[in-house]
Amino acid sequence: MAIGTDDAPRTEREPATGWAALRPLVLRLHFYAGVFVGPFLLVAALTGIAYVWTPQLEQAVYSRELHVPDAAGAVSLDQQVLVARGQVPDGKVIGVRPAPSATDTTQVIFDRPGLAPSYRYTVFVNPHDGAVRGALETYGSGQAMPVRGWIDTLHRSLHLGDFGRLYSELAASWLWVITLAGLALWLGRRRRLRAVLLPSGGKPGRRRLRSWHGSAGLWIAAGLLFLSATGLTWSLHAGANITDLRSSLDWTTPSVSSASRSPGDVGWQAVRDATVRAGLSDPVEIRPPSAGGYVVQQIGRGWPSKQDSMAVDPGTGVVAGTLRFADYPLAAKLSRWGIDAHMGLLFGVANQIVLTVLGAALVCVVGWGYRMWWLRGRSGRSAAGGWLRGGGRSGESGGLDRSPKDYGWRRGRARFGRLPMRGAWRRIPGRVLAPVLVVVAVVGWFLPVFGVSLVGFLAVDCLLGLRREVAR
């Protein structure tokens, strides 16, 4: 949930306690975070929706490189790698993905001079006759084709390098805060269960928008929290802290031991044959020996359990070690599943549809929030007009004990919607405020972009307060 705010009391009252004391501060935090982070959430949601469907897009765009007509017979994997080497004389083979079916190509993956970080150069070979079907720069461990790599980079950094990655980290760092604050505000209102779960009809206006904003936000809250948590694992600054935390808690993903190495090299085909006999099904990637032996890793991401790996002695072709995904620590399993689900890969099209609906709903919730802010200003204008005319209450703003400037209007022209009440933190009991500040400080240290941007929000709030005092 983002941006939208309820009307806050504008008159002095007796000191509140509990949620009544904390609510104005949560309301102001939800408002400021929504206003400033909303655009970044919109970009992340729209580019994320585009990325989710890139597997189908690249299958269509790169059909020649990825697929071949079914045919009888097959060329050995060693011969396919040899053909690919001839296409990239300055490259070093770092992986081979044998054709998982009779209509797929074999992917021979190279590292070569001049490639950007995380990029590889891949030659696609027809497994039936050894003919080269094409060669492309691919991105990441998922072997993203150029179109998917471009959209991935757009979603992650807007093609602005490490500086651009701050946008997605800002969105992920604040999404969970905005969501939890919105949930607290929505569930903290006393109303019937139906009004909490379902949006109301009624005539157009802020009240109906607030109902749609709150109800929709409630239904997608769990998904937004999931996207925020998993998105932070890829972030530039918070991601490093998460990696360190996982290492300290021994939550890292294990790897199969490949220390066994006898003299000689049985070759790619013998290695794959050995793992097939041992039960390692396609699709797989074979990594060549360095200090140890070959490593053959399952790379299927559409099903939770297709992540087994085996180490093969290059001299004898004997499977020297096996690591089953079932034996992973629970934290490593959750991490794998979370990343795959975030990318829309887990369970295939069903995952893609869920993420598309979630992203579209987030766009709507943010849009409704901005619309509510705009109408808040219009209701303030109406109320200000009544004040100038000496009339009573007008619109939904409630209470006309303030000047027209406080409603975000001047000389009858629209500026922005009214802000929630200032100084809310002074009304919170110290025994509540102190632990809140400690938690915020710890979170701000662990999520640096969140911490710095929070300081920025506070600075903006102070400047607005000073401006308002000067205007009076």
Side-chain angles (χ1 to χ4, degrees):
M1 290 182 284
I3 306 169
T5 58
D6 298 321
D7 294 318
R10 296 286 174 170
T11 57
E12 294 293 333
R13 296 182 180 180
E14 292 296 322
T17 59
W19 170 243
L22 196 59
R23 182 180 179 279
L25 181 63
V26 174
L27 176 63
R28 197 165 181 87
L29 176 67
H30 183 69
F31 173 82
Y32 267 116
V35 167
F36 289 116
V37 182
F40 301 102
L41 294 177
L42 288 174
V43 173
L46 294 173
T47 56
I49 292 173
Y51 177 81
V52 161
W53 295 100
T54 51
Q56 286 84 352
L57 179 61
E58 69 180 6
Q59 288 291 319
V61 174
Y62 304 104
S63 177
R64 173 174 173 77
E65 287 84 2
L66 294 172
H67 301 293
V68 296
D70 193 358
V75 176
S76 73
L77 203 55
D78 297 275
Q79 182 62 30
Q80 294 180 57
V81 173
L82 186 62
V83 170
R85 285 183 185 273
Q87 300 291 314
V88 194
D90 61 340
K92 174 185 177 183
V93 178
I94 58 174
V96 175
R97 296 190 174 190
S101 75
T103 57
D104 293 318
T105 56
T106 294
Q107 300 181 25
V108 184
I109 308 165
F110 292 86
D111 184 20
R112 67 185 306 189
L115 290 176
S118 299
Y119 276 85
R120 305 159 162 192
Y121 191 79
T122 301
V123 177
F124 301 84
V125 182
N126 187 329
H128 303 295
D129 60 13
V132 174
R133 300 281 291 182
L136 296 168
E137 285 190 10
T138 52
Y139 176 75
S141 60
Q143 277 292 92
M145 303 296 137
V147 66
R148 181 152 63 106
W150 190 89
I151 295 176
D152 183 11
T153 305
L154 178 68
H155 176 64
R156 189 178 66 257
S157 67
L158 302 178
H159 292 276
L160 297 176
D162 285 346
F163 175 78
R165 292 180 66 181
L166 293 176
Y167 116 81
S168 57
E169 184 165 355
L170 181 69
S173 297
W174 278 97
L175 180 57
W176 66 275
V177 178
I178 296 171
T179 301
L180 292 179
L183 279 176
L185 292 169
W186 186 245
L187 297 176
R189 292 168 58 88
R190 295 180 180 178
R191 64 172 77 79
R192 291 179 299 175
L193 181 62
R194 184 187 183 284
V196 174
L197 298 177
L198 300 176
S200 64
K203 58 183 180 180
R206 284 189 66 251
R207 188 177 299 277
R208 189 170 76 171
L209 281 173
R210 184 172 58 199
S211 175
W212 281 88
H213 179 84
S215 296
L218 175 65
W219 283 103
I220 66 173
L224 297 184
L225 293 174
F226 166 78
L227 291 179
S228 176
T230 52
L232 284 171
T233 62
W234 284 298
S235 61
L236 185 62
H237 301 288
N241 290 337
I242 292 173
T243 299
D244 293 341
L245 177 63
R246 290 182 61 194
S247 298
S248 64
L249 297 175
D250 197 24
W251 287 356
T252 55
T253 301
S255 58
V256 65
S257 174
S258 60
S260 176
R261 180 172 185 141
S262 301
D265 191 338
V266 297
W268 301 91
Q269 187 65 59
V271 168
R272 181 59 187 129
D273 290 342
T275 56
V276 169
R277 290 192 297 270
L280 199 65
S281 59
D282 286 320
V284 299
E285 178 174 315
I286 308 172
R287 294 190 291 273
S290 51
Y294 286 92
V295 172
V296 186
Q297 169 79 51
Q298 286 184 319
I299 55 174
R301 311 284 284 276
W303 196 251
S305 60
K306 299 279 285 186
Q307 296 292 316
D308 295 349
S309 57
M310 294 181 179
V312 179
D313 188 320
T316 63
V318 174
V319 175
T322 300
L323 176 63
R324 302 292 182 185
F325 184 72
D327 298 327
Y328 278 29
L330 178 60
K333 291 180 180 178
L334 293 176
S335 177
R336 178 76 272 161
W337 293 334
I339 290 173
D340 291 344
H342 186 110
M343 297 174 68
L345 301 174
L346 196 64
F347 303 121
V349 174
N351 193 168
Q352 293 173 300
I353 292 174
V354 169
L355 288 178
T356 300
V357 172
L358 184 59
L362 176 58
V363 170
C364 291
V365 168
V366 173
W368 290 328
Y370 277 116
R371 178 62 177 165
M372 289 164 60
W373 184 33
W374 170 255
L375 292 179
R376 192 178 180 90
R378 292 181 65 84
S379 66
R381 183 187 185 192
S382 176
W387 181 83
L388 289 170
R389 292 189 303 269
R393 287 185 57 168
S394 176
E396 298 179 4
S397 57
L400 298 174
D401 55 339
R402 311 193 66 139
S403 72
K405 294 178 183 178
D406 294 329
Y407 291 96
W409 294 82
R410 180 177 292 173
R411 297 187 182 94
R413 297 182 61 188
R415 297 195 310 181
F416 298 103
R418 289 185 296 118
L419 303 179
M421 182 176 58
R422 298 187 76 249
W425 64 272
R426 290 193 292 267
R427 297 172 176 81
I428 301 176
R431 66 181 182 278
V432 177
L433 183 61
V436 169
L437 293 178
V438 171
V439 170
V440 170
V442 172
V443 173
W445 173 84
F446 192 74
L447 308 178
V449 173
F450 166 80
V452 172
S453 56
L454 177 60
V455 172
F457 292 166
L458 294 175
V460 170
D461 190 37
C462 291
L463 290 175
L464 290 176
L466 291 174
R467 180 176 178 273
R468 182 169 146 195
E469 292 298 325
V470 170
R472 286 182 175 179

